[in-house]
């Protein structure tokens, strides 16, 4: 599959929005620069939100293009990054996301060459480390960063215990390590965040300015008839949270940003009221989330599974 792109290598822009990422930036960029993809075809666009540490100084060791944002808003920063990106393909990541395989970009780009109708490649497998923080292990085990998405049937990644894409009615073709899926506005899961390689020309057909909302962009593409996406088991590591408290803080931040900018938003979960109510009841039941935790623990023992009933009970209260 990788050989398929040798004669027609697409240029790639990696868009990274950063703010005080000294802890992660070198490892993140180093893994990009170690990809077996031709480095002269990779540009890295760093959108700096006025970092007060030496994030940019460290980033400049890796031949990056640095642009300023200063709005302290991730969606605004990503929009600025798109404006400066010149590649045929754009890879969206944060500084706390790391490509695990040195063939990651080659494989992802080969899928888009193989399927010209596909708008983007979305990774559906999160790297799992037993020594990671417990809250982060929870996210990687369930393939989510919000349990509500799990119960609404809108998650965009596999659980660590799953081997098959859960939404079989969306699958057009099953490859050895990917699914070619076709979505409509009702079946579209949460796409477009970390490890999302998209065709730049299609991104530009959406309302990507002044804010780039990854879910809304995917939604607009589906509305415009670009309904195919490659859901690939290209594993990436996401150091999302270090503690349970940080998990709640990030949920609260995401909710606040949604409410502040909802006039710009287009994506809805397209869930009927009864189904939504039923999902909340299941979450609050404690018994059902506990059963899911036990099932997961049996397949892949880890104490992090027990956070599920806690989060399922408290997250609806946070949103309420």
């Amino acid at each position: 599959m990788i050989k398929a792109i040798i004669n027609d290598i697409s240029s790639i822009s990696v868009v990274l929005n950063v703010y005080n990422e000294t802890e992660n930036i070198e490892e993140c960029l180093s893994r990009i620069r170690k990809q077996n993809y031709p480095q002269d075809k990779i540009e890295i666009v760093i959108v700096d939100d006025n970092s007060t540490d030496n994030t940019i100084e460290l980033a400049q060791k890796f031949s990056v293009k640095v642009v300023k944002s200063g709005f302290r808003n991730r969606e605004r920063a990503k929009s600025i990054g798109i404006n400066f990106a010149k590649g045929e393909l754009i890879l969206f990541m944060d500084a706390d996301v790391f490509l695990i395989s040195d063939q990651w970009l080659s494989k992802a780009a080969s899928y888009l060459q193989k399927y010209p109708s596909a708008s983007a490649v979305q990774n559906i497998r999160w790297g799992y480390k037993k020594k990671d923080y417990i809250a982060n292990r929870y996210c990687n085990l369930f393939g989510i960063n919000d349990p509500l998405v799990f119960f609404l049937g809108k998650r965009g990644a596999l659980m660590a215990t799953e081997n098959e894409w859960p939404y079989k009615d969306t699958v057009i073709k099953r490859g050895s390590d990917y699914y070619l899926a076709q979505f409509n506005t009702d079946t579209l899961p949460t796409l477009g965040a970390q490890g999302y390689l998209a065709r730049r020309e299609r991104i530009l057909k959406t309302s990507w300015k002044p804010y780039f909302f990854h879910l809304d962009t995917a939604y607009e593409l589906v509305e415009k008839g670009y309904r195919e996406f490659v859901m690939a088991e290209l594993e990436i590591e996401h150091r999302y949270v270090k503690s349970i408290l940080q998990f709640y803080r990030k949920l609260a931040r995401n909710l606040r940003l949604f409410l502040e900018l909802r006039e710009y938003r287009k994506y809805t979960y397209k869930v009927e009221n009864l189904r939504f109510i039923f999902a909340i009841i299941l979450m609050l039941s404690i018994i059902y989330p506990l059963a899911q935790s036990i099932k997961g623990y049996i397949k892949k023992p880890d104490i992090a599974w027990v956070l599920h009933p806690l989060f399922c009970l408290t997250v609806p209260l946070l949103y309420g």
Side-chain angles (χ1 to χ4, degrees), residues 18-86:
V18 301
Y19 175 74
N20 290 354
E21 288 288 352
T22 301
E23 183 179 355
N24 297 314
I25 192 67
E26 287 187 284
E27 183 174 357
C28 175
L29 297 180
S30 174
R31 295 201 190 187
I32 294 172
R33 288 306 183 197
K34 289 178 180 178
Q35 292 291 299
N36 70 348
Y37 204 83
Q39 288 296 318
D40 62 343
K41 289 288 188 177
I42 303 174
E43 73 163 356
I44 302 176
V45 181
I46 301 288
V47 185
D48 180 36
D49 241 337
N50 286 345
S51 296
T52 58
D53 60 7
N54 63 336
T55 295
I56 300 306
E57 179 183 344
L58 296 174
Q60 288 173 332
K61 299 177 183 179
F62 298 91
S63 302
V64 301
K65 179 191 297 183
V66 179
V67 296
K68 290 289 184 179
S69 170
F71 292 97
R72 292 302 307 276
N73 182 286
R74 294 179 304 161
E75 284 74 22
R76 187 70 177 267
K78 289 178 181 178
S79 177
I80 292 171
I82 294 170
N83 193 52
F84 282 88
K86 304 301 181 185

Side-chain angles (χ1 to χ4, degrees), residues 208-222:
W208 58 277
K209 293 190 294 186
Y211 300 99
F212 173 78
F213 302 104
H214 55 87
L215 289 176
D216 298 62
T217 299
Y219 185 86
E220 282 191 75
L221 287 174
V222 170

Side-chain angles (χ1 to χ4, degrees), residues 50 53 96 112 123 166 176 210 216 243 247 259 271 292 295:
N50 286 345
D53 60 7
D96 60 357
L112 291 178
N123 82 288
S176 60
D216 298 62
S243 67
F247 178 85
L259 294 175
V271 176
Q292 291 179 311
K295 182 179 179 181

Side-chain angles (χ1 to χ4, degrees), residues 128 130 132-135 137-138 141 293 297 300-309:
Y128 166 82
K130 185 71 173 180
D132 204 351
Y133 297 100
I134 187 171
R137 297 203 310 272
Y138 166 80
L141 286 169
S293 296
Y297 185 88
K300 195 176 188 71
D302 191 319
I303 194 65
W305 291 104
V306 304
L307 292 179
H308 193 51

